[in-house]
Short mmCIF file of all heavy atoms in Angstrom, two decimals:
data_model
loop_
_atom_site.label_atom_id
_atom_site.label_comp_id
_atom_site.label_asym_id
_atom_site.label_seq_id
_atom_site.Cartn_x
_atom_site.Cartn_y
_atom_site.Cartn_z
N LEU A 201 19.95 13.75 26.98
CA LEU A 201 19.92 14.05 25.57
C LEU A 201 18.92 15.12 25.12
O LEU A 201 19.14 15.93 24.28
CB LEU A 201 19.65 12.78 24.74
CG LEU A 201 20.90 11.83 24.51
CD1 LEU A 201 20.44 10.48 24.01
CD2 LEU A 201 21.83 12.48 23.51
N GLN A 202 17.68 15.04 25.77
CA GLN A 202 16.67 15.97 25.46
C GLN A 202 17.05 17.38 25.87
O GLN A 202 16.88 18.33 25.16
CB GLN A 202 15.37 15.60 26.23
CG GLN A 202 14.66 14.36 25.83
CD GLN A 202 14.02 14.33 24.39
OE1 GLN A 202 14.19 15.36 23.74
NE2 GLN A 202 13.38 13.32 24.08
N LYS A 203 17.82 17.44 27.04
CA LYS A 203 18.39 18.73 27.53
C LYS A 203 19.35 19.31 26.49
O LYS A 203 19.28 20.44 26.13
CB LYS A 203 19.01 18.42 28.84
CG LYS A 203 19.33 19.70 29.64
CD LYS A 203 19.75 19.33 31.13
CE LYS A 203 20.36 20.47 31.76
NZ LYS A 203 21.79 20.54 31.79
N VAL A 204 20.21 18.40 26.01
CA VAL A 204 21.24 18.94 25.08
C VAL A 204 20.55 19.34 23.80
O VAL A 204 20.90 20.37 23.31
CB VAL A 204 22.21 17.64 24.73
CG1 VAL A 204 23.01 17.98 23.52
CG2 VAL A 204 23.08 17.36 25.94
N HIS A 205 19.56 18.57 23.32
CA HIS A 205 18.88 18.92 22.13
C HIS A 205 18.13 20.24 22.29
O HIS A 205 18.16 21.13 21.43
CB HIS A 205 17.87 17.79 21.78
CG HIS A 205 17.00 18.07 20.65
ND1 HIS A 205 17.56 18.27 19.41
CD2 HIS A 205 15.64 18.06 20.44
CE1 HIS A 205 16.49 18.46 18.55
NE2 HIS A 205 15.36 18.37 19.12
N ARG A 206 17.55 20.47 23.40
CA ARG A 206 16.76 21.70 23.71
C ARG A 206 17.71 22.88 23.86
O ARG A 206 17.45 23.87 23.20
CB ARG A 206 15.99 21.44 25.05
CG ARG A 206 14.69 22.24 25.10
CD ARG A 206 13.89 21.71 26.32
NE ARG A 206 14.60 21.54 27.53
CZ ARG A 206 14.66 20.30 28.09
NH1 ARG A 206 14.08 19.29 27.53
NH2 ARG A 206 15.32 20.18 29.24
N GLU A 207 18.79 22.75 24.61
CA GLU A 207 19.56 23.86 24.99
C GLU A 207 20.56 24.21 23.85
O GLU A 207 20.87 25.37 23.55
CB GLU A 207 20.31 23.62 26.23
CG GLU A 207 19.39 23.63 27.46
CD GLU A 207 20.04 23.34 28.74
OE1 GLU A 207 21.25 23.04 28.76
OE2 GLU A 207 19.36 23.17 29.75
N LYS A 208 21.17 23.20 23.24
CA LYS A 208 22.30 23.48 22.24
C LYS A 208 21.68 23.51 20.78
O LYS A 208 22.36 23.80 19.93
CB LYS A 208 23.31 22.45 22.32
CG LYS A 208 24.18 22.55 23.58
CD LYS A 208 25.32 21.51 23.47
CE LYS A 208 26.38 21.76 24.61
NZ LYS A 208 27.36 22.66 24.23
N LYS A 209 20.50 23.05 20.69
CA LYS A 209 19.81 22.97 19.35
C LYS A 209 20.59 22.05 18.42
O LYS A 209 20.71 22.27 17.20
CB LYS A 209 19.75 24.35 18.69
CG LYS A 209 19.09 25.50 19.54
CD LYS A 209 17.69 25.40 19.68
CE LYS A 209 17.12 26.55 20.47
NZ LYS A 209 16.12 26.15 21.44
N THR A 210 21.30 21.04 19.03
CA THR A 210 21.98 20.17 18.16
C THR A 210 21.02 19.23 17.38
O THR A 210 20.03 18.71 17.99
CB THR A 210 22.95 19.19 19.09
OG1 THR A 210 23.64 20.13 19.93
CG2 THR A 210 23.85 18.39 18.33
N THR A 211 21.35 19.02 16.13
CA THR A 211 20.52 18.07 15.36
C THR A 211 20.77 16.72 15.83
O THR A 211 21.99 16.31 15.98
CB THR A 211 20.84 18.17 13.85
OG1 THR A 211 20.70 19.55 13.44
CG2 THR A 211 19.95 17.32 12.99
N ILE A 212 19.75 15.84 16.07
CA ILE A 212 20.00 14.48 16.55
C ILE A 212 19.49 13.56 15.45
O ILE A 212 18.43 13.68 14.96
CB ILE A 212 19.33 14.22 17.90
CG1 ILE A 212 20.07 15.05 19.03
CG2 ILE A 212 19.22 12.74 18.24
CD1 ILE A 212 19.52 14.89 20.37
N PHE A 213 20.41 12.59 15.16
CA PHE A 213 20.11 11.63 14.17
C PHE A 213 20.21 10.28 14.92
O PHE A 213 21.29 9.81 15.37
CB PHE A 213 21.16 11.63 13.00
CG PHE A 213 20.80 10.67 11.87
CD1 PHE A 213 20.25 11.21 10.66
CD2 PHE A 213 20.97 9.33 12.00
CE1 PHE A 213 20.03 10.43 9.63
CE2 PHE A 213 20.69 8.52 10.90
CZ PHE A 213 20.17 9.06 9.72
#
Side-chain angles (χ1 to χ4, degrees):
Chain A
L201 276 169
Q202 296 287 6
K203 189 169 170 262
V204 166
H205 178 56
R206 211 170 39 243
E207 289 175 4
K208 287 184 171 273
K209 313 278 181 228
T210 310
T211 305
I212 290 184
F213 188 105

